[in-house]
Each structure stands twice: as C-alpha cells, then as structure tokens.
Amino acid sequence: MKPKLYIGNRNYSSWSLRAWLLLAESGIDFDEERLPLDTAEFEERIGAISPSRRVPALALGGETVWDSLAIAETVAERWPEKALWPAEPKSRAHARSVSAEMHSGFAALRWEMPMNCRAMGRKVPLSRELKADIDRILAIWSDCSERYGGGWLFGNFSVADAMYAPVVLRFRTYGVDVPQTAEGYADRVLRSKAMQKWLAAAESETEVIAGDEVGQ
C-alpha cells in the first residue's frame, strides 16, 4: 500500500507542508487527505487518525507516524536511496542540528508571522524576539549557501529544506528583506514544482482561519 499523508489546510498548515514537501519533492508516490483545521469534521475524525490529534500524520506500513520531524526521519530511513540526509557525517550532523532547531525553536516567528500562502504584502511589527528569529534563520541560510552551494541548504534537497520551506513563504507574505547571501535559497524553494503545486492548491481553498490572518 502507498503511504497516506493526512494534512491540514494548505494555506495555513506549515507543519503539513513540511511533511508533504518532503515526500513530493523526493518523488515518493503517496496518497493524501486534507482535514480542514478548526472544523467539526477535523474534531470528529482526527482522533482515529493521529493519537496527538494533530496533523500531519503519515500512515505507513500499518503504522501511523505523527509529528513532522518523526515523519522526516522515518521517510529518510524507509527510502535511503532518496538521500534525504547528507552522506558526509559532519554535513549530516549540521543538517540534523538546523532541522531540530527549526522544529523546537523560533516561537516568535510562529506566533507573530503565521504562514498564510494566499496573503501578500502584509506588515507586522518587528518585536525584538521576532527580529532575533529572522536574523538567526537568515544566518543559517547564508552559512549553508556559503558552505555547500547548490541551491538547497545542503547542496541537494534534504530534510532541512522541508523544515525551512514554510519560512520562505512567511518571508514572502510579510515582506522580509532577504540578503543576497540567502536569497538564492528562497528562490530555489519557490521554483520547486512541488512547492508551486502546493501554492496553487492553497489558492483554491476557501476556508479562512481568522487567527492566522495577521498583518495589514
């Protein structure tokens, strides 16, 4: 059986995008099902799909894997030929570190700049914490570009790119200035055919989650 990925709204669900892009950009054949967030349908169905009651969740080989980073590790292990972590040990450790940093950190960015694929030209106040998050992310992108080249963070597409791709969309929505040392990475993410497919689907959604409609 093909793996099946359960996702939330494409327009708003950054964690769903991470798991979805990892599979799609890698060329892994999978089914998907969307559960609209903040709806009665979601509340009625999610308990039977994911014990955490959150998306994404990946049904794979009779088991369910939840949480984006756990999904990423499982997919990388199950499809080793996709080389979703760098082969060189130091680079692999670096990729795991920045991926885990995204997974556990950047709270101000998540709260103050929620992902909203359809929105453009939004402006929000830059708190000290938000500016620190932005500066750190741009430093990661610039460092990876200098050290590895190749467009993606570690040369070829990896778990790290799936983890940071939603941030590219956040920066686009809220007009964050990306320095030349990092803009090549942002451009590479946006040129991805898989990302373009996700964005087109997000445009076609009609649901509005008021709490994620941030900025003027």
Side-chain angles (χ1 to χ4, degrees):
M1 295 178 62
K2 287 192 293 185
K4 184 172 184 177
L5 183 67
Y6 294 89
I7 62 174
N9 304 57
R10 293 177 181 87
N11 191 58
Y12 300 110
S13 184
S14 60
W15 292 110
S16 295
L17 171 57
R18 291 179 170 100
W20 186 93
L21 186 66
L22 184 74
L23 292 165
E25 184 65 34
S26 301
I28 296 169
D29 189 22
F30 68 101
D31 293 325
E32 64 183 83
E33 184 170 346
R34 190 182 77 108
L35 300 177
L37 302 173
D38 294 352
T39 64
E41 177 189 356
F42 186 93
E43 293 302 321
E44 289 168 3
R45 298 189 57 205
I46 191 61
I49 292 168
S50 170
S52 69
R53 299 188 64 84
R54 294 182 177 181
V55 288
L58 180 67
L60 179 64
E63 296 290 337
T64 299
V65 185
W66 61 96
D67 184 278
S68 294
L69 192 54
I71 290 171
E73 290 282 13
T74 301
V75 170
E77 181 181 66
R78 186 66 64 95
W79 285 274
E81 71 279 7
K82 301 299 183 180
L84 291 171
W85 291 115
E88 197 277 319
K90 289 184 180 180
S91 299
R92 187 165 64 249
H94 187 194
R96 280 199 160 103
S97 294
V98 299
S99 296
E101 185 176 357
M102 172 51 66
H103 186 260
S104 63
F106 304 111
L109 179 80
R110 301 184 201 287
W111 181 253
E112 299 177 44
M113 285 185 168
M115 191 176 87
N116 188 336
C117 298
R118 294 192 300 257
M120 298 289 286
R122 298 285 178 94
K123 297 295 182 184
V124 297
L126 283 180
S127 69
R128 182 180 63 182
E129 295 79 8
L130 177 57
K131 186 177 186 305
D133 281 357
I134 291 171
D135 289 347
R136 173 58 185 151
I137 289 166
L138 293 175
I140 290 171
W141 293 358
S142 296
D143 179 49
C144 287
S145 177
E146 181 179 346
R147 291 169 64 174
Y148 304 105
W152 298 110
L153 289 176
F154 291 86
N156 297 316
F157 179 77
S158 72
V159 170
D161 298 300
M163 295 301 290
Y164 281 86
V167 181
V168 173
L169 300 183
R170 283 180 161 100
F171 286 3
R172 185 184 74 151
T173 292
Y174 300 101
V176 173
D177 290 329
V178 177
Q180 187 174 1
T181 53
E183 66 182 358
Y185 174 65
D187 289 343
R188 181 65 188 87
V189 171
L190 291 172
R191 290 200 313 271
S192 159
K193 290 182 179 179
M195 179 62 88
Q196 288 299 313
K197 182 178 179 180
W198 177 276
L199 290 172
E203 286 286 346
S204 70
E205 292 179 340
T206 58
E207 300 95 347
V208 174
I209 297 178
D212 287 337
E213 292 294 331
V214 172
Q216 298 285 331

